[in-house]
C-alpha cells in the first residue's frame, strides 16, 4: 500500500503519530534536544487526557527555536511545528500528517547528497521508487512503518513508532552535522 493510501486509512491516533514522527525526525533542524517531543508522544497514549496534546505541543514549541532561521530544510521543519493542530481532531491531524509527510520527504531530499530522479516527492508517496535517493528512501520507509505499526497494533504500536522516529532522528542529526562541517 502506498504512503498516500496509508494516510487516507489511518485513524486519528495514527495520523497524529505520523505527523509527530515526521516532526520528531526533523528536531535536529529545529535546534532541539532529542527528548523534546517525548511528552507530546505520551499524550497519544490511552491514559492521556484530551487536552494534553495541545498543552504539551505548546510547551515543546516554546522550547524549540521558533524563529525559523536557517535554510530551506529548517524552514520546512519550522512550518511543520507551527502547523501542528492544537486539538487532535481527525480532520485537523489528517491535514497536518499529510503536510508533514511531504515536508519531511522534501527535507530529506534537500539534505541528501545523492540525486533523487523524481521531480517531486508526490510520486514517492504514491509508490514510485525508481531512482530514489537513499535518504529519501529511508524516510519513506520510516513513514510507512509508523503508519503500518499503528494500524496493526493501535496504542501498543506507539513504542515502535517512537523507535522508528528516534532512528530517523539520529540519521538526520548525522547528516546535518556532516553538512555543517563541510560548509565551515
Amino acid at each position: 500500500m502506498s504512503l498516500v493510501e496509508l494516510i487516507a486509512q489511518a485513524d486519528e491516533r495514527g495520523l497524529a503519530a505520523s505527523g509527530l514522527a515526521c516532526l520528531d525526525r526533523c528536531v535536529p533542524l529545529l535546534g532541539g534536544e532529542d527528548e523534546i517531543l517525548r511528552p507530546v508522544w505520551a499524550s497519544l497514549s490511552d491514559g492521556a487526557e484530551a487536552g494534553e496534546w495541545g498543552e504539551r505541543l505548546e510547551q515543546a514549541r516554546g522550547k524549540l527555536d521558533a524563529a525559523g532561521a536557517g535554510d530551506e530544510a529548517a524552514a520546512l521543519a519550522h512550518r511543520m511545528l507551527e502547523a501542528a493542530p492544537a486539538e487532535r481532531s481527525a480532520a485537523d491531524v489528517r491535514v497536518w500528517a499529510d503536510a508533514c509527510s511531504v515536508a519531511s520527504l522534501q527535507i530529506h531530499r534537500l539534505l541528501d547528497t545523492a540525486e533523487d530522479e523524481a521531480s517531486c516527492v508526490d510520486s514517492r508517496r504514491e509508490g514510485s521508487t525508481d531512482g530514489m535517493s537513499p535518504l529519501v528512501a529511508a524516510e519513506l520507509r520510516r513513514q510507512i512503518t509508523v503508519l503500518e505499526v499503528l494500524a496493526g497494533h493501535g496504542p501498543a504500536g506507539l513504542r515502535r513508532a517512537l523507535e522508528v522516529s528516534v532512528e530517523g532522528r539520529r540519521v538526520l542529526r548525522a547528516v546535518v552535522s556532516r553538512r555543517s562541517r563541510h560548509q565551515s
Side-chain angles (χ1 to χ4, degrees):
M1 198 175 308
S2 76
L3 180 57
V4 171
E5 293 167 324
L6 288 168
I7 289 172
Q9 293 180 5
D11 64 9
E12 176 189 314
R13 184 188 328 257
L15 292 165
S18 175
L20 183 58
C22 289
L23 179 61
D24 198 1
R25 287 189 293 276
C26 294
V27 160
L29 296 168
L30 297 169
E33 296 177 11
D34 285 348
E35 300 298 315
I36 194 92
L37 294 175
R38 182 74 74 149
V40 186
W41 278 100
S43 73
L44 296 176
S45 68
D46 271 344
E49 297 194 24
E52 287 184 45
W53 164 267
E55 291 169 17
R56 293 176 179 185
L57 187 60
E58 199 52 44
Q59 290 169 357
R61 278 188 183 123
K63 293 176 184 174
L64 291 167
D65 173 20
D71 59 11
E72 186 179 354
L76 285 167
H78 282 284
R79 281 199 290 267
M80 273 195 280
L81 176 63
E82 293 307 313
E87 290 187 30
R88 213 179 78 197
S89 72
D92 289 343
V93 291
R94 183 172 310 282
V95 170
W96 180 62
D98 194 55
C100 286
S101 170
V102 171
S104 188
L105 286 167
Q106 185 61 30
I107 286 167
H108 285 77
R109 184 178 184 175
L110 289 167
L111 296 176
D112 202 335
T113 56
E115 191 69 29
D116 190 319
E117 294 177 12
S119 60
C120 68
V121 296
D122 291 339
S123 64
R124 302 305 185 202
R125 293 172 28 127
E126 293 167 0
S128 173
T129 58
D130 293 339
M132 193 170 2
S133 66
L135 202 57
V136 174
E139 173 59 12
L140 181 65
R141 278 193 308 274
R142 286 185 192 97
Q143 288 187 27
I144 289 170
T145 299
V146 165
L147 287 161
E148 287 176 343
V149 163
L150 289 161
H153 302 285
L158 283 171
R159 179 179 304 276
R160 177 67 184 129
L162 180 57
E163 289 169 0
V164 169
S165 184
V166 167
E167 171 196 332
R169 186 179 342 110
R170 286 185 189 131
V171 169
L172 195 66
R173 190 170 298 286
V175 169
V176 169
S177 176
R178 191 174 328 118
R179 189 174 187 219
S180 67
R181 281 195 307 269
H182 289 301
Q183 290 177 347
S184 300

